[in-house]
Every structure is written in C-alpha cells, then in structure tokens.
Amino acid sequence: MLRIVGSVLLLTVVIVALAVTIVPRFLDRIYYRGPATGHFDGARFANPDNDADTQQIQPAGGGRAGFFWRYFTGSDGRPAWPSSVTVRPTAPPARVEGERMVVTWVGHASVLIQTQGLNILTDPVWAEKAGPLGTGPRRVAAPGIAFDALPRIDLVLVSHDHYDHLDKATLKRLWQRDRPRIVTSLGNDSVIGQTSAAATALDWGQRVAIKPGVSVSVTRNHHWGSRWFTDRNRALWSSFVVTLPGGNVFFAGDTGMGDGQWPVEAAALGPVRLALIPIGAFRFVDRQMESGSHIGPVDAVEVYRRLGAAHAIPIHWGTFRLSFEGYDTPPKLLAAAMRCTGQTGFAPVAIGRPTQIAAYAPPARGAPMSRAALLKCLDTPAVRALR
C-alpha cells in the first residue's frame, strides 16, 4: 500500500512538474519573428508612447482577480443592459460605383464600406459570443447584415487579435466564399492562417496597393493583443487608412488615446472623408472617462478633430458588453461632448441602416478645447447621471 501511495505521489509530482513546464509554452504562441524595432523587442510588441497604461484593467477595488469575479458574476454594481435590442438587417447592393460611398454598421467594429466598386469590411465578427471556446460576452444586437446577405467582399481589414475583432469562424467563411484580400498588422496573419485564409501583414507605416488609386496603409494606434493568457503582445495592433479618390477612410480599430499623435499621423496621409472611431468599453469604474486601452467619447471627439475628418461614425459600442457603462451611455456622452466642442458630423447610426457619406469637404473646426475644459463643460446633472 505504501509503495502504491508513493508511486501515486511521485506520478502526481511528475505531472505537476510537466504541467508547469509545458502548459505555459503550450498556451503561448509565436505569431511573428523579425528584427527588433522601436515597438518590437524581438519577442513582443509594445506601444512606444507608454505601454504601462495598457498593462492592466483598472478595477474598482479588490485587484484584478476581484474585478473579473465581480464582472462575470454580475455583482459589480454595473447598470443593466438589455438582453437584446431590435435590429432591422439590410441587404446591401452588390456594388457602389465611383465616388459615391455607402456605409453600413454591422455592429461593434464590423462595418461594410461600399465605394469605387469595392466592398470593404472591417473587423468582421458574426459570432454570437466574443471569446474563446464559445465563452465570452454574448451579443445583444444581431448583425446588421445577415452573413448570407453580404455582397462579395473584396477587402478585409483586421486590426488585432482580440476575439471581438478577429473571429476565425467568420474569416474562414469569408475566405471560402469570396477569397478577399485580407490586410492586417504583423503577426495576426499567423492567427488568421489557422483558418487556411491568407492575409497580408504589414508593420506600422507600410502600405499595400489594392487597385489603381486605392491603397491601404497600416497606421499606429494604442492598444495590445492576446488570445490566450501567455501570448500577450505577440501580434501587433493597428489602425488603417484606406486611400481613395475623393477622400480617405480611417478605421481606428481598437485604441486608447496614448500620446494622441496617431490620428495626426493618419491625417498626414491625405484628407479623411470618413472616420470610424470607437466610443465604447471605456468605463471600468463609475464615472471613468477612459481606460488605457479604450478611448471614450471625451477623447473620441478630440481624435475626430485631430484627424480633420469630414464625417465620422462611432463604433465599438452597443453590441458586446465589455465594461461598466450603461448600454446607451456612449452615444449620449458623445452627443454632449460634440455640443461642448461645437463640432458636427460625428453622430451614431443605427446598426443595419445604410448611410450615404457626403463628398469630402474641408470641415469647419473651431479652436481646440482642452480636455480639462471639456470635462468642465460636461460636468452637468445630465452627464453625471449617465452610468
């Protein structure tokens, strides 16, 4: 009996030792190999403008583990969200020719852009849940376009490897059906390649031609990447500028403010006709206005100004519940911030509703407002009541 017990204990020790050695390596992934740069140390990517603010979620006391426990058990005092919202899906046209531009928000960061005879899709996610192995937040808004109603897709932009932006099942379906050109940032092509789809992966500042007069530039933003616990920042995150006749399209992807110079860098590539800017998942404690990885409406209106964009559509809200704010807090706070700054042209659209984007005209922008002045303007009973 003692020998049996001893053998079991020895086997247990061996299994634990092997698990400690093997499991972290198994969970880790090497998505990219290349020379070191100002934002890649040879193993992992980083934000050169200060990576510290994206290293942790800002919990409401009790540390990171306590935050996740309260979040997943619904005991963090967050405001209630609807279990579902009404969406009237659309059936887009097969093509939109010339400089006419029609844009349909599918939900979260998924947007269909139709112009110049091209069908462009950003961060396509048709999954019911945004997480690994069928877990994660469940969508409260159905896709604004049924997958089978999508026109033939020519170009797909994938900003980074988080599950609410890179959905392998959706990418696999798109690849099998349409063989689109997929453009992403370094390392994400490895994740996308697991679906047998091919992607063009570029570093910040690099560009690829799509057809005469149309190109995609991969541009900087401020975020991080991971699909497992130990593969953090193995792949790069990015925004994009699609250069088009009649004015460019800027897709911010998923981003915090960082140094705030990345929209200026994108604007230097040409006039921005349309910007897709995130406004949600910015509040992890009550009254918070941003997190290191996500801008909220307060910073989104400044991003809009720095881009010099003629028009903008807010994205990354109202589809998956990722943080503390109420369901409709992002658009209400955006409207208040736009009133304070005196800007126009940046307002929500309904999921599934085709929106025609007017031709580019230089926007009239007043004097910039400091963040402190904007927060003071927003210090009203109506804004303070937003959860």
Side-chain angles (χ1 to χ4, degrees), residues 45-46 72 75-77 83 96 145 163 168 200 220-221 234 274 296 299 307 318 321 360 372:
F45 293 92
F72 286 113
S75 59
D76 57 359
S83 58
V96 173
I145 305 171
Y163 285 86
K168 293 198 295 185
T200 300
R220 184 169 69 95
N221 62 0
R234 292 293 198 182
L274 172 68
D299 293 303
L307 284 167
R321 183 174 189 177
Y360 175 80

Side-chain angles (χ1 to χ4, degrees), residues 32 34 48 63 73 97 103 112 115 249 257 296 298 306 319 334 368 381:
Y32 171 75
T73 59
E97 301 295 339
V103 175
L112 174 66
T115 188
V249 170
M257 193 63 174
V298 169
R306 294 185 184 188
T319 306
L334 174 66

Side-chain angles (χ1 to χ4, degrees), residues 87-377:
V87 173
R88 294 180 175 84
T90 191
R95 300 280 172 191
V96 173
E97 301 295 339
E99 292 191 7
R100 183 168 167 259
M101 181 182 291
V102 177
V103 175
T104 307
W105 185 32
V106 178
H108 201 54
S110 304
V111 181
L112 174 66
I113 304 156
Q114 297 183 279
T115 188
Q116 297 293 331
L118 288 172
N119 292 323
I120 305 168
L121 198 55
T122 66
D123 284 354
V125 176
W126 264 254
E128 183 65 21
K129 292 184 177 182
L133 306 175
T135 65
R138 183 186 297 275
R139 68 191 310 144
V140 302
I145 305 171
F147 186 89
D148 291 339
L150 276 173
R152 183 180 181 87
I153 301 301
D154 306 295
L155 174 63
V156 175
L157 307 178
V158 178
S159 64
H160 66 299
D161 63 3
H162 285 162
Y163 285 86
D164 57 323
H165 294 260
L166 194 164
D167 177 26
K168 293 198 295 185
T170 299
L171 289 170
K172 183 175 182 178
R173 292 177 72 186
L174 283 169
W175 181 257
Q176 290 176 340
R177 195 191 73 166
D178 298 341
R179 290 293 195 272
R181 183 73 176 271
I182 303 174
V183 180
T184 188
S185 43
L186 296 176
N188 297 297
D189 55 327
S190 175
V191 180
I192 296 169
Q194 296 167 18
T195 70
S196 298
T200 300
L202 303 176
D203 201 355
W204 291 338
Q206 293 183 326
R207 175 182 295 194
V208 61
I210 303 302
K211 71 175 195 175
V214 179
S215 65
V216 175
S217 294
V218 172
T219 48
R220 184 169 69 95
N221 62 0
H222 188 89
H223 202 56
W224 60 287
S226 180
R227 291 183 74 81
W228 296 93
F229 295 104
T230 57
D231 67 346
R232 187 181 179 99
N233 295 351
R234 292 293 198 182
L236 184 61
W237 46 95
S238 69
S239 55
F240 301 87
V241 172
V242 183
T243 303
L244 293 158
N248 299 343
V249 170
F250 174 74
F251 170 48
D254 196 357
T255 185
M257 193 63 174
D259 64 3
Q261 290 305 299
W262 47 270
V264 178
E265 295 162 9
L269 299 177
V272 178
R273 179 179 179 182
L274 172 68
L276 306 173
I277 304 174
I279 64 168
F282 67 96
R283 182 168 284 178
F284 289 89
V285 297
D286 201 18
R287 302 187 186 279
Q288 185 179 6
M289 292 296 191
E290 66 170 337
S291 71
S293 301
H294 296 142
I295 57 173
V298 169
D299 293 303
V301 297
E302 178 63 12
V303 168
Y304 176 54
R305 188 191 69 80
R306 294 185 184 188
L307 284 167
H311 314 280
I313 292 175
I315 59 170
H316 204 267
W317 71 275
T319 306
F320 296 106
R321 183 174 189 177
L322 303 175
S323 56
F324 192 94
E325 72 266 13
Y327 171 78
D328 58 358
T329 290
K332 287 181 176 179
L333 185 55
L334 174 66
M338 290 293 285
R339 287 192 297 270
C340 283
T341 59
Q343 299 184 97
T344 59
F346 184 12
V349 299
I351 292 176
R353 180 182 298 170
T355 301
Q356 189 149 251
I357 305 301
Y360 175 80
R365 296 281 195 267
M369 176 179 281
S370 71
R371 196 172 195 275
L374 177 53
L375 289 174
K376 183 177 180 180
C377 179

